[in-house]
Each structure stands twice: as C-alpha cells, then as structure tokens.
Amino acid sequence: MPTPSARGRLLVVDDEVELMRALCESLAEQGFQTHGLSDPLAAAPAVRDGDFDLLLSDLMMPGIDGIQLLRQTLEIDPNLVGIIMTGQGTIQTAVEAMKSGAFDYILKPFRLQQVLPILDRALQVRRLRVENQRLRGLVRQLTFESPRYQIVGNNPAIRKVIQLIEKVADSDATVLVRGPSGTGKELVARALHGNSRRRHAPLVTINCATLQDTLLESELFGHEKGAFTGADRAKPGLFEVAEGGTLFIDEVAEMAPGLQAKLLRVLEDGHYRRVGSIQERHADVRIVAATNKPLEDEVKAGRFREDLFFRLNVITIHLPALKDRRDDIPALVAHFLRTRQIGKTPFQTDPDALRALCAYDWPGNVRELANVLERAQLLAEGTTITLDDLPEVITDHGKPPPAPGEPEHPDRPDDLETVQRRHVAEVLRRYGGNKVQAAKALGISRRTLYRLLQKYGLTGADDRPGDTRPAS
Ligand SMILES: Nc1ncnc2c1ncn2[C@@H]1O[C@H](COP(=O)(O)OP(=O)(O)OP(=O)(O)O)[C@@H](O)[C@H]1O
Ligand SMILES: [Mg+2]
C-alpha cells in the first residue's frame, strides 16, 4: 500500500498488463507511490481499503469502462481526482469523462513528460478538496457551537438529541419536538433551521396556545379582504412569510380539529388556501412542531387527529426533563453565567449553592434554571452566588417537610393577599416567566394574570422570544 512520504498516491488501472506495469515503474521513478491493477473490478475495493490521491484509469476495459469506474470510486472517496487515459480521443469521450467527474483526460500513446504537469495539478486539486472538506466540517461544528444554537449537555439523552439534529437538520422532513416546558424545544427548532440549507430564509414561529382558532387560521394561512369582520385588507399568512424557510408550530396540541385537517393537507402536498379564498396556494416550508402534551392521549380523547399525529410523528426528538439529566446542571450553570452574564465580572457559584441547584427538581426545567441564575446574579453581594441568593424552594430542598398544622414559613405573614402574591410569583417563576402557561396553571385568564402582576408589582422575567406577530 502507498505510503504518505510519496509525491502522491496513484492507483493505475489498465487491462493491458504490460502497459500498466511500465507506467507504474516510470511514475515510481518520478517519486510517486503507485499501485497497479489490470482488473478494473478490483479498483473499487482498492479505493475502499487504500488511501489514494489520484485514479489514473484506461477508458476501454472489459467488464467496466473507465468512466463507470470513476463514478464508482468517487462515491467511495469524493475527493479522489480522476484522470482518464484513452486511445480514441473524441470530443464525446472527453465530455463524458469530464461530466463523470474526471479532472482531465490523456490521449494514448503519451510521453511521461507530457503527463507529469497534469498529475501535479491534479494533486493540487486533491489537496484543495481535502482542505475544503475539513473546513466544511469545521463550519458545521462552529454553527453548532455558536452560542445562539448551543445545546449544552453531555448526558446520553442530550447527545442523542444533538446527533438526531445533525442527521435530519438538512432534510425537509417534518420534525416533532416533544418534552416538558422549558426543556429546549424552541432551541432545537432553531438548531434545525440554523443548520439546514434553509437557514438564509426566515424561521417563523407561531404559538397555537396564544391565539383563538379563527385568528390562528388566518395567521397561518392568511386571509382575503372581507373574509371576516375586521378583515379590511388582504394579509399573507405565515406560510407565505416563511417561504423557503422553516415554520415552527409551537404547542401544536392546542390547535382546533378543523385547523388540524388543514395543516395535515399542507403537510401532505403543500397546498392550502387563504381564509376567504378559493385560490390554491403552494408552500415551500419545512415544518417543525412542538408539544409538551402526551399527544397519544390527546388522540385517544378525540382532541387530536390521529392522521395528523402520524404525519407529524415521523421524526421525533424527545427532550428530557432537567431532573432526569442532573449531571448536566453544572455545565448549564456555567453556560448561563457566561452567556447571560450581568455586569463586568463573571459570576461563580459556591459549592453549597451548586449542590442545591443540582438537587432541586426544576419543574420549569432549563428555562427556570436560567431565570434563577439571572435573579441570583442581581441579588448576589460579590460575584459569588451563595444559598442566600437562591429562591427558598431551592434551598429548602432536602429539608424535612413541615409537620401538619405548622406554618411552612413561620416568619411570613399568612394573610390572603400576601399568600396570593407569593403564589402568583411562585407559579410564574415555575413556568420561567411564561405568562400563558402560568395563567393556565393558575386557572385564570391572561388578562387577570396581568392585572395581578401589576397589582403586586411583579414583572415576571421572561426570556421567551415573542411570537412573530403580537397576539391581538
Ligand atoms: N440544552 C440547553 N442548553 C442551553 N440552553 C438551553 C438548553 N435547553 C434549554 N435552554 C434554554 O432554556 C430556555 C428555554 O428553552 P426553550 O424556550 O427552547 O424551551 P421550550 O421547551 O420551548 O419551552 P416551552 O414548552 O415552555 O415553550 C431558553 O432560553 C433556551 O435557550
Ligand atoms: Mg417553547
């Protein structure tokens, strides 16, 4: 087998054994490492096993011709540079050879001195191809490692998620992202879009839980003027806005059945209609959908169409709850203290605080962790986060529960207003500042929640990027 010290590693294929040997010998004298084959069918296995820079192949051979051979070997090593030798130099053969990926072709008979410059140039091309491949790999890695899309974690479940993203990002396949609130579903949607060839087109987000059915339909598909009261002009839907890009449909389980049927139709053949229009439109949009609900149960309960579920559930990415991957908490803490640093000096956590952060159950998952760390940076005296800077629910963790009848926090007043304020703040924090979900959990409307927040002077930290358009 060739050694790397050579000028270049050549695989020479010619069914005329004498010619092949002579060529190998004279090329070896010029400093090339050569490997000669008179059986063209042995070439593909040789490329698979060896590490060749160039393929120098005769055109007319029994069993397989030089052009087919080149195609085969390029599939094994796309960086291989091929040169075809031919006795019958017609324009047609030259064109064929080039079309199949040959770098050049040589007319037989030839003198070695004519061929050497071609071989040297071919080797240069080889080096460029290899270098390009290395850079492409690097770019891919960089996109993944750039903070915007960084999915932190080394837990096997998260590693699986990252592998799956790498595998499916560049396809147009519909992806369903599942996992509890705050586990990174939107982050995954961004990574899928950002690592696809659609990344230069828009990524548009719509949250089905924030809009009423009719509004949701016109947001998604657009409407014509006069389609409904208040539709005083035509408006394109998000499928049009996202043309060529990705549409992220969040909380897809909240979609009404009628609309589910329309979504199924776009997923199947790309067709849809604006509200109030009979004109068929076609969408070139990749769909990523997310849900934190057990869709199987929604299907059983008749709230979610089974056919849509099957259509969405082809490629599914499951995000684990943070408490099921506690080993990632220290890395996530370091990540958020670095990427969401408040002030000039980076913060650290002392060992007790880190222990408490690792022991807590995180019902709001990664979003809750990020918000707790943001708050802790604001509260900390120096640049070290201690137990004092963490919410009580976290530092209480591991303490025995209070005996029945005993107040949970003896030093806190128990009047209804204080309790309500505390409860609202706590629920909001648990949902990482997500008001839609906090309102749902509290069993009140969003408007009521806003009123309470105002009344109690609570702001509800919220790291969620807003929907593309304000909900009306
Ligand atoms: N593995 C992770 N590495 C780094 N940051 C993460 C990770 N997972 C989540 N985050 C961050 O946590 C926050 C919440 O993530 P995201 O909004 O993607 O969650 P979600 O699953 O969509 O939540 P919800 O169901 O409430 O919409 C974001 O700021 C996100 O950047
Ligand atoms: Mg989300």
Side-chain angles (χ1 to χ4, degrees), residues 348-401:
Q348 293 176 321
T349 43
D350 79 4
D352 284 344
L354 189 60
R355 210 169 299 128
L357 291 170
C358 290
Y360 180 57
D361 270 350
W362 300 108
N365 294 297
V366 185
R367 177 181 295 116
E368 184 182 10
L369 174 63
N371 285 338
V372 162
L373 289 170
E374 191 164 77
R375 173 181 176 278
Q377 292 182 72
L378 290 168
L379 293 180
E381 303 256 315
T383 54
T384 300
I385 292 169
T386 68
L387 284 178
D388 285 344
D389 311 319
L390 301 178
E392 271 171 47
V393 268
I394 295 177
T395 52
D396 278 356
H397 195 90
K399 281 190 197 166

Short mmCIF file of all heavy atoms in Angstrom, two decimals, residues 348-401:
data_model
loop_
_atom_site.label_atom_id
_atom_site.label_comp_id
_atom_site.label_asym_id
_atom_site.label_seq_id
_atom_site.Cartn_x
_atom_site.Cartn_y
_atom_site.Cartn_z
N GLN A 348 -19.62 33.24 39.89
CA GLN A 348 -19.40 31.82 40.17
C GLN A 348 -20.43 31.37 41.18
O GLN A 348 -21.09 32.19 41.80
CB GLN A 348 -18.03 31.64 40.80
CG GLN A 348 -16.89 31.95 39.87
CD GLN A 348 -15.59 31.84 40.61
OE1 GLN A 348 -15.51 32.24 41.78
NE2 GLN A 348 -14.59 31.28 39.95
N THR A 349 -20.53 30.06 41.36
CA THR A 349 -21.42 29.57 42.41
C THR A 349 -20.55 28.94 43.49
O THR A 349 -19.53 28.31 43.18
CB THR A 349 -22.37 28.48 41.88
OG1 THR A 349 -21.61 27.60 41.05
CG2 THR A 349 -23.48 29.07 41.06
N ASP A 350 -20.92 29.12 44.76
CA ASP A 350 -20.15 28.41 45.78
C ASP A 350 -20.68 26.97 45.87
O ASP A 350 -21.76 26.67 45.35
CB ASP A 350 -20.14 29.18 47.12
CG ASP A 350 -21.41 29.02 47.93
OD1 ASP A 350 -22.30 28.25 47.49
OD2 ASP A 350 -21.53 29.67 48.99
N PRO A 351 -19.90 26.06 46.46
CA PRO A 351 -20.26 24.64 46.41
C PRO A 351 -21.64 24.33 46.97
O PRO A 351 -22.37 23.51 46.39
CB PRO A 351 -19.17 23.96 47.26
CG PRO A 351 -18.02 24.91 47.23
CD PRO A 351 -18.60 26.28 47.12
N ASP A 352 -22.05 25.02 48.05
CA ASP A 352 -23.38 24.75 48.63
C ASP A 352 -24.48 25.14 47.65
O ASP A 352 -25.46 24.41 47.47
CB ASP A 352 -23.58 25.55 49.93
CG ASP A 352 -22.81 24.91 51.08
OD1 ASP A 352 -22.42 23.73 50.92
OD2 ASP A 352 -22.60 25.59 52.10
N ALA A 353 -24.30 26.29 47.02
CA ALA A 353 -25.32 26.75 46.07
C ALA A 353 -25.40 25.77 44.90
O ALA A 353 -26.49 25.38 44.48
CB ALA A 353 -24.97 28.15 45.57
N LEU A 354 -24.26 25.34 44.40
CA LEU A 354 -24.27 24.41 43.27
C LEU A 354 -24.92 23.09 43.67
O LEU A 354 -25.70 22.52 42.90
CB LEU A 354 -22.84 24.17 42.76
CG LEU A 354 -22.77 23.40 41.45
CD1 LEU A 354 -23.49 24.14 40.33
CD2 LEU A 354 -21.32 23.13 41.03
N ARG A 355 -24.64 22.66 44.90
CA ARG A 355 -25.25 21.41 45.37
C ARG A 355 -26.78 21.55 45.39
O ARG A 355 -27.50 20.66 44.94
CB ARG A 355 -24.72 21.07 46.77
CG ARG A 355 -24.69 19.56 47.03
CD ARG A 355 -23.92 19.22 48.29
NE ARG A 355 -22.51 19.66 48.21
CZ ARG A 355 -21.89 20.40 49.14
NH1 ARG A 355 -22.54 20.82 50.21
NH2 ARG A 355 -20.62 20.72 49.00
N ALA A 356 -27.26 22.70 45.90
CA ALA A 356 -28.71 22.91 45.95
C ALA A 356 -29.29 22.95 44.54
O ALA A 356 -30.36 22.39 44.27
CB ALA A 356 -29.01 24.21 46.70
N LEU A 357 -28.58 23.60 43.62
CA LEU A 357 -29.07 23.68 42.24
C LEU A 357 -29.16 22.28 41.61
O LEU A 357 -30.06 21.99 40.84
CB LEU A 357 -28.16 24.58 41.39
CG LEU A 357 -28.17 26.07 41.74
CD1 LEU A 357 -27.04 26.81 41.00
CD2 LEU A 357 -29.51 26.71 41.39
N CYS A 358 -28.21 21.44 41.97
CA CYS A 358 -28.20 20.09 41.40
C CYS A 358 -29.27 19.19 42.04
O CYS A 358 -29.72 18.23 41.41
CB CYS A 358 -26.84 19.44 41.56
SG CYS A 358 -25.58 20.18 40.53
N ALA A 359 -29.67 19.53 43.27
CA ALA A 359 -30.61 18.65 43.97
C ALA A 359 -32.07 19.00 43.67
O ALA A 359 -32.96 18.18 43.81
CB ALA A 359 -30.36 18.74 45.48
N TYR A 360 -32.31 20.23 43.24
CA TYR A 360 -33.68 20.70 43.03
C TYR A 360 -34.32 20.01 41.83
O TYR A 360 -33.63 19.54 40.92
CB TYR A 360 -33.61 22.22 42.83
CG TYR A 360 -34.93 22.90 42.59
CD1 TYR A 360 -35.97 22.79 43.51
CD2 TYR A 360 -35.12 23.70 41.46
CE1 TYR A 360 -37.18 23.43 43.29
CE2 TYR A 360 -36.32 24.35 41.24
CZ TYR A 360 -37.35 24.21 42.15
OH TYR A 360 -38.53 24.86 41.93
N ASP A 361 -35.66 19.94 41.84
CA ASP A 361 -36.36 19.18 40.80
C ASP A 361 -36.68 19.94 39.51
O ASP A 361 -37.07 19.34 38.52
CB ASP A 361 -37.66 18.59 41.36
CG ASP A 361 -37.41 17.21 41.93
OD1 ASP A 361 -36.31 16.68 41.70
OD2 ASP A 361 -38.31 16.68 42.61
N TRP A 362 -36.56 21.23 39.50
CA TRP A 362 -36.73 22.06 38.30
C TRP A 362 -37.99 21.76 37.50
O TRP A 362 -37.92 21.34 36.34
CB TRP A 362 -35.49 21.93 37.38
CG TRP A 362 -34.24 22.36 38.07
CD1 TRP A 362 -33.23 21.56 38.51
CD2 TRP A 362 -33.88 23.70 38.43
NE1 TRP A 362 -32.26 22.31 39.13
CE2 TRP A 362 -32.62 23.64 39.10
CE3 TRP A 362 -34.49 24.95 38.27
CZ2 TRP A 362 -31.99 24.75 39.59
CZ3 TRP A 362 -33.85 26.07 38.78
CH2 TRP A 362 -32.61 25.96 39.43
N PRO A 363 -39.16 22.05 38.08
CA PRO A 363 -40.39 21.84 37.29
C PRO A 363 -40.43 22.70 36.03
O PRO A 363 -41.06 22.34 35.06
CB PRO A 363 -41.51 22.24 38.28
CG PRO A 363 -40.84 23.01 39.35
CD PRO A 363 -39.44 22.49 39.44
N GLY A 364 -39.76 23.85 36.05
CA GLY A 364 -39.71 24.70 34.86
C GLY A 364 -38.49 24.42 33.99
O GLY A 364 -38.19 25.17 33.06
N ASN A 365 -37.76 23.38 34.35
CA ASN A 365 -36.62 22.90 33.57
C ASN A 365 -35.56 23.96 33.28
O ASN A 365 -35.30 24.80 34.12
CB ASN A 365 -37.13 22.21 32.30
CG ASN A 365 -37.90 20.95 32.67
OD1 ASN A 365 -37.32 20.03 33.22
ND2 ASN A 365 -39.20 20.95 32.42
N VAL A 366 -34.94 23.89 32.08
CA VAL A 366 -33.78 24.75 31.82
C VAL A 366 -34.14 26.23 31.88
O VAL A 366 -33.36 27.05 32.35
CB VAL A 366 -33.15 24.40 30.45
CG1 VAL A 366 -31.88 25.21 30.23
CG2 VAL A 366 -32.84 22.92 30.37
N ARG A 367 -35.37 26.56 31.44
CA ARG A 367 -35.75 27.98 31.49
C ARG A 367 -35.76 28.47 32.93
O ARG A 367 -35.31 29.57 33.24
CB ARG A 367 -37.11 28.21 30.85
CG ARG A 367 -37.50 29.69 30.98
CD ARG A 367 -38.85 30.02 30.41
NE ARG A 367 -38.90 29.82 28.98
CZ ARG A 367 -39.69 28.93 28.41
NH1 ARG A 367 -40.47 28.19 29.15
NH2 ARG A 367 -39.69 28.81 27.12
N GLU A 368 -36.27 27.64 33.84
CA GLU A 368 -36.31 28.03 35.25
C GLU A 368 -34.88 28.21 35.78
O GLU A 368 -34.59 29.18 36.48
CB GLU A 368 -37.05 26.96 36.07
CG GLU A 368 -37.21 27.36 37.53
CD GLU A 368 -37.90 26.30 38.37
OE1 GLU A 368 -38.08 25.17 37.88
OE2 GLU A 368 -38.23 26.59 39.53
N LEU A 369 -33.99 27.30 35.41
CA LEU A 369 -32.59 27.41 35.85
C LEU A 369 -31.98 28.72 35.36
O LEU A 369 -31.34 29.45 36.13
CB LEU A 369 -31.79 26.21 35.33
CG LEU A 369 -30.29 26.25 35.59
CD1 LEU A 369 -29.98 26.23 37.08
CD2 LEU A 369 -29.59 25.07 34.91
N ALA A 370 -32.22 29.05 34.09
CA ALA A 370 -31.65 30.29 33.54
C ALA A 370 -32.18 31.50 34.30
O ALA A 370 -31.42 32.42 34.64
CB ALA A 370 -31.98 30.39 32.05
N ASN A 371 -33.48 31.49 34.60
CA ASN A 371 -34.06 32.63 35.29
C ASN A 371 -33.58 32.74 36.74
O ASN A 371 -33.33 33.83 37.23
CB ASN A 371 -35.59 32.55 35.27
CG ASN A 371 -36.13 32.90 33.89
OD1 ASN A 371 -35.46 33.57 33.11
ND2 ASN A 371 -37.31 32.43 33.58
N VAL A 372 -33.44 31.60 37.41
CA VAL A 372 -32.95 31.60 38.78
C VAL A 372 -31.52 32.17 38.82
O VAL A 372 -31.17 32.95 39.71
CB VAL A 372 -32.99 30.16 39.36
CG1 VAL A 372 -32.10 30.05 40.59
CG2 VAL A 372 -34.43 29.77 39.70
N LEU A 373 -30.72 31.82 37.82
CA LEU A 373 -29.34 32.32 37.80
C LEU A 373 -29.29 33.81 37.49
O LEU A 373 -28.45 34.54 38.02
CB LEU A 373 -28.51 31.54 36.78
CG LEU A 373 -28.23 30.09 37.20
CD1 LEU A 373 -27.61 29.32 36.05
CD2 LEU A 373 -27.31 30.04 38.43
N GLU A 374 -30.21 34.26 36.67
CA GLU A 374 -30.26 35.69 36.37
C GLU A 374 -30.60 36.47 37.64
O GLU A 374 -29.94 37.44 37.99
CB GLU A 374 -31.32 35.92 35.30
CG GLU A 374 -31.29 37.31 34.71
CD GLU A 374 -32.09 37.34 33.43
OE1 GLU A 374 -33.34 37.35 33.52
OE2 GLU A 374 -31.48 37.30 32.36
N ARG A 375 -31.62 35.99 38.33
CA ARG A 375 -32.04 36.63 39.57
C ARG A 375 -30.91 36.58 40.60
O ARG A 375 -30.64 37.57 41.29
CB ARG A 375 -33.28 35.88 40.08
CG ARG A 375 -33.79 36.27 41.44
CD ARG A 375 -34.99 35.39 41.77
NE ARG A 375 -35.51 35.62 43.12
CZ ARG A 375 -35.00 35.07 44.21
NH1 ARG A 375 -33.93 34.31 44.13
NH2 ARG A 375 -35.55 35.31 45.38
N ALA A 376 -30.24 35.42 40.70
CA ALA A 376 -29.17 35.28 41.69
C ALA A 376 -28.03 36.27 41.43
O ALA A 376 -27.46 36.83 42.37
CB ALA A 376 -28.63 33.84 41.66
N GLN A 377 -27.73 36.53 40.15
CA GLN A 377 -26.67 37.49 39.84
C GLN A 377 -27.06 38.89 40.32
O GLN A 377 -26.22 39.67 40.75
CB GLN A 377 -26.40 37.53 38.34
CG GLN A 377 -25.77 36.26 37.80
CD GLN A 377 -25.48 36.38 36.30
OE1 GLN A 377 -24.57 37.09 35.89
NE2 GLN A 377 -26.26 35.68 35.51
N LEU A 378 -28.36 39.19 40.24
CA LEU A 378 -28.82 40.51 40.68
C LEU A 378 -28.76 40.63 42.20
O LEU A 378 -28.50 41.69 42.74
CB LEU A 378 -30.25 40.76 40.20
CG LEU A 378 -30.41 40.95 38.69
CD1 LEU A 378 -31.87 40.90 38.29
CD2 LEU A 378 -29.76 42.26 38.27
N LEU A 379 -29.02 39.50 42.88
CA LEU A 379 -29.08 39.54 44.34
C LEU A 379 -27.71 39.41 45.01
O LEU A 379 -27.50 39.91 46.10
CB LEU A 379 -29.99 38.42 44.86
CG LEU A 379 -31.48 38.53 44.51
CD1 LEU A 379 -32.24 37.34 45.09
CD2 LEU A 379 -32.05 39.84 45.05
N ALA A 380 -26.79 38.71 44.35
CA ALA A 380 -25.51 38.39 45.00
C ALA A 380 -24.75 39.65 45.39
O ALA A 380 -24.81 40.66 44.70
CB ALA A 380 -24.67 37.53 44.06
N GLU A 381 -24.07 39.55 46.51
CA GLU A 381 -23.32 40.72 47.00
C GLU A 381 -22.04 40.92 46.20
O GLU A 381 -21.80 41.96 45.62
CB GLU A 381 -22.96 40.53 48.48
CG GLU A 381 -24.18 40.30 49.37
CD GLU A 381 -24.52 41.54 50.17
OE1 GLU A 381 -23.59 42.15 50.72
OE2 GLU A 381 -25.71 41.90 50.25
N GLY A 382 -21.22 39.90 46.14
CA GLY A 382 -19.98 40.00 45.34
C GLY A 382 -20.21 39.36 43.98
O GLY A 382 -21.22 39.64 43.33
N THR A 383 -19.31 38.49 43.57
CA THR A 383 -19.51 37.78 42.31
C THR A 383 -19.63 36.28 42.55
O THR A 383 -19.45 35.49 41.64
CB THR A 383 -18.36 38.05 41.31
OG1 THR A 383 -17.13 37.74 41.95
CG2 THR A 383 -18.36 39.48 40.83
N THR A 384 -19.91 35.92 43.81
CA THR A 384 -20.14 34.51 44.11
C THR A 384 -21.59 34.31 44.52
O THR A 384 -22.08 34.99 45.43
CB THR A 384 -19.20 34.04 45.23
OG1 THR A 384 -17.85 34.23 44.80
CG2 THR A 384 -19.41 32.55 45.52
N ILE A 385 -22.25 33.41 43.84
CA ILE A 385 -23.64 33.12 44.17
C ILE A 385 -23.67 32.11 45.32
O ILE A 385 -23.03 31.05 45.25
CB ILE A 385 -24.37 32.57 42.93
CG1 ILE A 385 -24.50 33.69 41.89
CG2 ILE A 385 -25.73 32.01 43.30
CD1 ILE A 385 -24.94 33.21 40.54
N THR A 386 -24.37 32.49 46.41
CA THR A 386 -24.46 31.60 47.56
C THR A 386 -25.92 31.16 47.75
O THR A 386 -26.80 31.62 47.03
CB THR A 386 -23.99 32.32 48.85
OG1 THR A 386 -24.96 33.34 49.14
CG2 THR A 386 -22.63 32.97 48.66
N LEU A 387 -26.14 30.32 48.76
CA LEU A 387 -27.50 29.85 49.05
C LEU A 387 -28.47 31.02 49.26
O LEU A 387 -29.63 30.94 48.88
CB LEU A 387 -27.50 28.96 50.29
CG LEU A 387 -26.96 27.54 50.11
CD1 LEU A 387 -26.98 26.81 51.45
CD2 LEU A 387 -27.77 26.78 49.07
N ASP A 388 -27.95 32.12 49.85
CA ASP A 388 -28.80 33.28 50.13
C ASP A 388 -29.41 33.88 48.87
O ASP A 388 -30.44 34.56 48.92
CB ASP A 388 -27.99 34.38 50.81
CG ASP A 388 -27.71 34.03 52.26
OD1 ASP A 388 -28.40 33.12 52.76
OD2 ASP A 388 -26.80 34.64 52.85
N ASP A 389 -28.75 33.67 47.74
CA ASP A 389 -29.21 34.30 46.51
C ASP A 389 -30.18 33.43 45.74
O ASP A 389 -30.64 33.80 44.65
CB ASP A 389 -27.99 34.61 45.61
CG ASP A 389 -26.91 35.33 46.38
OD1 ASP A 389 -27.27 36.21 47.19
OD2 ASP A 389 -25.72 34.99 46.22
N LEU A 390 -30.50 32.24 46.28
CA LEU A 390 -31.39 31.32 45.57
C LEU A 390 -32.77 31.35 46.21
O LEU A 390 -32.91 31.57 47.41
CB LEU A 390 -30.82 29.90 45.62
CG LEU A 390 -29.44 29.74 44.99
CD1 LEU A 390 -28.95 28.30 45.14
CD2 LEU A 390 -29.44 30.15 43.52
N PRO A 391 -33.83 31.11 45.43
CA PRO A 391 -35.19 31.08 45.99
C PRO A 391 -35.30 29.99 47.05
O PRO A 391 -34.62 28.96 46.97
CB PRO A 391 -36.07 30.73 44.79
CG PRO A 391 -35.24 30.95 43.59
CD PRO A 391 -33.82 30.84 43.99
N GLU A 392 -36.22 30.24 48.00
CA GLU A 392 -36.36 29.28 49.10
C GLU A 392 -36.72 27.88 48.65
O GLU A 392 -36.26 26.90 49.21
CB GLU A 392 -37.42 29.78 50.09
CG GLU A 392 -36.82 30.67 51.15
CD GLU A 392 -37.91 31.33 51.98
OE1 GLU A 392 -38.84 30.61 52.39
OE2 GLU A 392 -37.82 32.55 52.19
N VAL A 393 -37.59 27.80 47.61
CA VAL A 393 -37.97 26.45 47.16
C VAL A 393 -36.74 25.61 46.83
O VAL A 393 -36.76 24.39 46.93
CB VAL A 393 -38.85 26.43 45.89
CG1 VAL A 393 -40.29 26.44 46.24
CG2 VAL A 393 -38.44 27.50 44.92
N ILE A 394 -35.70 26.28 46.40
CA ILE A 394 -34.49 25.54 46.02
C ILE A 394 -33.64 25.21 47.24
O ILE A 394 -33.18 24.09 47.42
CB ILE A 394 -33.67 26.33 44.98
CG1 ILE A 394 -34.48 26.45 43.69
CG2 ILE A 394 -32.32 25.68 44.72
CD1 ILE A 394 -33.85 27.26 42.61
N THR A 395 -33.48 26.21 48.13
CA THR A 395 -32.64 25.97 49.30
C THR A 395 -33.34 25.09 50.33
O THR A 395 -32.69 24.40 51.09
CB THR A 395 -32.20 27.29 49.95
OG1 THR A 395 -33.39 28.07 50.18
CG2 THR A 395 -31.27 28.06 49.05
N ASP A 396 -34.70 25.13 50.30
CA ASP A 396 -35.47 24.26 51.20
C ASP A 396 -35.33 22.80 50.82
O ASP A 396 -35.64 21.91 51.59
CB ASP A 396 -36.97 24.61 51.14
CG ASP A 396 -37.27 25.81 52.03
OD1 ASP A 396 -36.33 26.27 52.70
OD2 ASP A 396 -38.41 26.27 52.01
N HIS A 397 -34.94 22.60 49.57
CA HIS A 397 -34.91 21.25 49.04
C HIS A 397 -34.07 20.35 49.94
O HIS A 397 -32.96 20.66 50.30
CB HIS A 397 -34.31 21.27 47.63
CG HIS A 397 -34.57 20.00 46.90
ND1 HIS A 397 -35.68 19.82 46.13
CD2 HIS A 397 -33.87 18.86 46.85
CE1 HIS A 397 -35.66 18.62 45.63
NE2 HIS A 397 -34.56 18.00 46.04
N GLY A 398 -34.63 19.23 50.31
CA GLY A 398 -33.89 18.29 51.15
C GLY A 398 -34.20 18.46 52.63
O GLY A 398 -34.01 17.57 53.42
N LYS A 399 -34.76 19.65 52.99
CA LYS A 399 -35.17 19.83 54.38
C LYS A 399 -36.44 19.02 54.61
O LYS A 399 -37.25 18.86 53.69
CB LYS A 399 -35.49 21.31 54.65
CG LYS A 399 -34.28 22.17 54.87
CD LYS A 399 -34.75 23.52 55.35
CE LYS A 399 -33.66 24.57 55.19
NZ LYS A 399 -34.22 25.92 55.34
N PRO A 400 -36.67 18.51 55.82
CA PRO A 400 -37.91 17.75 56.04
C PRO A 400 -39.12 18.66 55.87
O PRO A 400 -39.05 19.85 56.19
CB PRO A 400 -37.77 17.26 57.49
CG PRO A 400 -36.77 18.17 58.11
CD PRO A 400 -35.86 18.64 57.03
N PRO A 401 -40.25 18.14 55.35
CA PRO A 401 -41.45 18.97 55.18
C PRO A 401 -42.00 19.37 56.54
O PRO A 401 -41.81 18.64 57.52
CB PRO A 401 -42.42 18.05 54.44
CG PRO A 401 -41.92 16.66 54.69
CD PRO A 401 -40.47 16.75 54.96
#
